[in-house]
């Protein structure tokens, strides 16, 4: 398996994020774009759910910390 890492600091930028639905020959594509360019992640539904869950857990932990 090939491993690639990409880091982009988005904290001072506005971004757009969109998921393009899967097509017959391609999986869904999560695209995050901003002034840095764009990053596209091809993923199946389980992988997109894992990303969504990680983001959800981040916000839940912030809510617990604020209490």
């Amino acid at each position: 398996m090939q491993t690639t890492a990409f880091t982009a600091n988005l904290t001072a930028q506005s971004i757009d994020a969109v998921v393009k639905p899967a097509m017959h020959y391609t999986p869904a594509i999560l695209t995050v774009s901003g002034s840095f360019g764009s990053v596209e992640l091809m993923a199946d539904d389980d992988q997109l759910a894992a990303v969504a869950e990680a983001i959800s857990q981040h916000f839940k932990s912030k809510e617990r910390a604020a209490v």
Side-chain angles (χ1 to χ4, degrees), residues 28-49:
I29 301 172
L30 168 61
T31 302
V32 178
S33 56
S35 62
F36 63 91
S38 64
V39 175
E40 293 187 340
L41 299 174
M42 292 182 170
D44 62 29
D45 287 346
D46 289 339
Q47 293 165 324
L48 289 174

Side-chain angles (χ1 to χ4, degrees), residues 46-64:
D46 289 339
Q47 293 165 324
L48 289 174
V51 171
E53 180 62 21
I55 293 168
S56 177
Q57 289 299 320
H58 166 73
F59 286 115
K60 287 177 185 175
S61 69
K62 288 183 71 143
E63 289 174 4
R64 287 190 295 265

Side-chain angles (χ1 to χ4, degrees), residues 10-24:
L10 307 178
T11 56
Q13 301 181 41
S14 60
I15 64 162
D16 291 312
V18 65
V19 175
K20 297 174 192 171
M23 302 298 280
H24 186 68

